Amino acid sequence: MLSKSLVIFVGIGIISGLLFGVYLIDVKNTSQLVYVEGAGISIVTEKFDFKKGEEIKIKIINTGTVPLTFSDASYGLRITGLSGILMYTPTSVQVESELKPNDEIEFSWDQIKNDGDDALEGLYKISVNGFDPIGDKVERSTTVTIWK
């Protein structure tokens, strides 16, 4: 017969493993390209796992049927850690940009943060946001992993 504490610890381990798995499914969003009627935007990278120092190519695609506007030439691109701390935004001018339906723009990130340091291994969230013709916010994000 098993001891009571062993059963409790195994039960807690199973439950926490299940909850962590559900969390990772939500964080590790793998559906990048989704076409919609109305306003829609997608972020596409060539893969999800990158080696440290490898260039990450990021495509921002208007997957909707209406044009989208952005407040600057970076198209609202932000790369953050999962904690939300900003790691990188492209240098851009403050000029309003537009992305017509099915148009795309490509950026690349060399894994150098805005402060000049190299990005560490871990999960990073790539997000983009813009506005549809009536002024509603349109946003999308995906995650990538940097490995040693």
Side-chain angles (χ1 to χ4, degrees):
M1 192 151 164
L2 298 174
S3 71
K4 193 182 217 181
S5 61
L6 178 63
V7 172
I8 290 172
F9 287 127
V10 168
I12 289 173
I14 290 171
I15 291 171
S16 62
L18 177 66
L19 292 175
F20 188 65
V22 169
Y23 169 75
L24 284 180
I25 286 173
D26 185 44
V27 168
K28 197 74 171 172
N29 180 10
T30 58
S31 60
Q32 290 186 332
L33 196 56
V34 179
Y35 288 92
V36 295
E37 183 72 30
I41 194 165
S42 291
I43 302 171
V44 177
T45 57
E46 64 261 2
K47 55 187 178 178
F48 297 105
D49 299 318
F50 295 88
K51 292 181 182 174
K52 192 164 169 38
E54 183 179 1
E55 182 180 49
I56 300 174
K57 292 183 180 172
I58 304 161
K59 287 184 183 178
I60 301 170
I61 304 171
N62 182 344
T63 53
T65 56
V66 296
L68 301 175
T69 56
F70 302 88
S71 60
D72 58 22
S74 72
Y75 291 82
L77 179 67
R78 295 172 45 92
I79 299 175
T80 62
L82 287 183
S83 61
I85 297 173
L86 181 64
M87 299 293 172
Y88 175 77
T89 54
T91 305
S92 65
V93 294
Q94 293 293 330
V95 60
E96 191 171 284
S97 303
E98 182 178 85
L99 201 58
K100 293 185 167 90
N102 295 319
D103 278 355
E104 64 183 56
I105 188 81
E106 185 172 319
F107 291 93
S108 63
W109 181 40
D110 56 3
Q111 297 186 20
I112 304 294
K113 301 188 300 187
N114 281 346
D115 63 6
D117 292 339
D118 292 338
L120 301 174
E121 297 88 13
L123 283 171
Y124 289 87
K125 180 178 175 182
I126 302 171
S127 60
V128 63
N129 61 57
F131 298 94
D132 67 6
I134 59 173
D136 291 336
K137 194 174 197 177
V138 180
E139 54 190 338
R140 184 72 156 188
S141 66
T142 190
T143 57
V144 295
T145 306
I146 297 176
W147 297 98
K148 203 170 203 179

